[in-house]
Each structure stands twice: as structure tokens, then as C-alpha cells.
Amino acid sequence: MPTGPAADHRSTAPLADPEAAFAPGRAPVMLELVDEDGTTVGTAEKISAHLPPGRLHRAFSVFLFDDRGRLLLQRRALGKYHSPGVWSNTCCGHPNPGEPPFVAAARRTCEELGTAPALMREAGTVRYNHPDPDSGLVEQEYNHLFVGLVRGRLRPDPDEVAETAFADSAELERMCGDLPFSAWFPTVVDAVLPAVRELTGSPDW
């Protein structure tokens, strides 16, 4: 179950100012815009792509499991400008323009959690449009899904990850009932389940 600093998971810190992500002298983060088929059609600055109604852009979501078939979850750091303090899947983010999603997923997993996947493979894509009720930002994403295994010791970056947890399917169901999760989490979980069952060999997922 959750490991890390004790916290009241039903409360969140004051929302960070999205403009803080673009302090003077910091280069803007660019995302890859796509059409409904996932074909690249351009780029956009990160905040502008998430302002209502949102612009469809490429993203990825990673689901890593330990050798007991438990999913590695992370609670997003309280200082993040988007969806701070909520639980979500192992890692999620956006490829740099032109960066293959698989490469971006492996890179960000290492950067956020301090360990590389022991195994990772593609698990399809999912398209969704999820407004975040707290920040008012919109996740309009064409999301590449990945499943795999994790065996190394975790060294989470505190600027990205508040805490981590390993959960089997029953524990995850209880956590979803008791704790706040990201707006996109139910959608990506439903989409990735066939690949998860194949990876873990467990019908419980």
C-alpha cells in the first residue's frame, strides 16, 4: 500500500499557478498535435494545448507491475500545476515533438521514479477528452499505452512524485473508492486491461 510521507489524501494543497510553469528564461514545453488517427499535424505550447476546450495532442501512459502482479501507482507531487496530489498510474506524460512514444515513456519513467522498466511493451492507444475539475485544464489526448515490469529500487523525484504504492486489483478498487485519482485514470485503466491480463497472467485484473 502507499509508501512515503504521511498525508491526508482527501485534501489537496492550493492549486499551483499554471503560469509558473513558464517563468522568465525557461523555454516553453512543446507538445505534438495530432488528428483523430494519431497523425502529427503540428505543435503547440503545453499550457495552450490544455486550456479549454483543449487541443488533441500525443501522450503516453505507463503501467508497470512487480513480480507479484501488483500495479505501481504514484501520487502526483503537490507542486504540479496540473492534477496535483492525486493518484494515477505508474507514469504518464507527453513525448517531445518527433520523439517516439516508447522512448518518451521509458525516459520519463526513469526521470520520475529513478528506475528503468525491466520490460515494457506497447499496449494500444486510447483517445479521450477529460476536463480536470480542480484546475479547469482539459486533457484532450491521443494516448499511447505501455505495460511492463519493474524490479529496481524506486528513487522518486519529489518534484514529480509525492509517494508510491503497489496495489493488486482488490487494493486498487479500495483506493479508488477512498482516495482522489486523476480524471483520466479510469479511462486508461479500462483500455489497458487486456494487455495487463496478458502480461500478468492474472484473470483478476
Side-chain angles (χ1 to χ4, degrees):
M1 294 306 290
T3 61
D8 180 356
H9 305 295
R10 294 174 180 79
S11 64
T12 59
L15 292 177
D17 179 1
E19 297 301 324
F22 304 98
R26 179 181 296 179
V29 177
M30 304 301 291
L31 304 185
E32 190 170 278
L33 301 179
V34 300
D35 63 17
E36 293 292 340
D37 296 321
T39 302
T40 302
V41 296
T43 61
E45 182 266 337
K46 187 175 183 179
I47 283 289
S48 69
H50 288 87
L51 294 176
R55 304 177 71 183
L56 185 59
H57 57 275
R58 197 177 306 283
F60 63 82
S61 289
V62 179
F63 293 78
L64 298 182
F65 294 79
D66 66 9
D67 289 332
R68 295 168 53 187
R70 300 180 303 169
L71 173 62
L72 173 59
L73 301 163
Q74 67 158 275
R75 187 165 71 93
R76 294 164 62 86
L78 293 175
K80 294 180 78 69
Y81 75 91
H82 188 359
S83 302
V86 301
W87 287 91
S88 200
N89 48 287
T90 307
C91 181
C92 54
H94 310 96
N96 295 320
E99 183 182 24
F102 183 94
V103 173
R107 173 179 60 81
R108 284 302 295 165
T109 298
C110 291
E111 290 172 354
E112 292 191 7
L113 294 164
T115 191
L119 168 76
M120 192 172 74
R121 65 176 180 83
E122 297 179 359
T125 60
V126 61
R127 159 74 162 93
Y128 54 76
N129 178 1
H130 284 303
D132 176 56
D134 292 321
S135 68
L137 301 175
V138 178
E139 288 290 8
Q140 185 92 243
E141 294 188 330
Y142 187 93
N143 196 309
H144 297 255
L145 305 172
F146 299 93
V147 297
L149 301 175
V150 60
R151 295 192 175 110
R153 186 168 74 90
L154 303 179
R155 300 175 181 85
D157 178 353
D159 290 334
E160 299 288 345
V161 180
E163 60 184 305
T164 61
F166 283 94
D168 61 26
S169 59
E171 290 168 336
L172 178 59
E173 184 175 1
R174 288 194 294 271
M175 289 178 70
C176 288
D178 294 339
L179 306 174
F181 273 74
S182 64
W184 60 88
F185 183 74
T187 299
V188 292
V189 167
D190 285 346
V192 84
L193 278 180
V196 168
R197 293 180 181 123
E198 182 179 346
L199 175 76
T200 63
S202 172
D204 293 334
W205 283 103

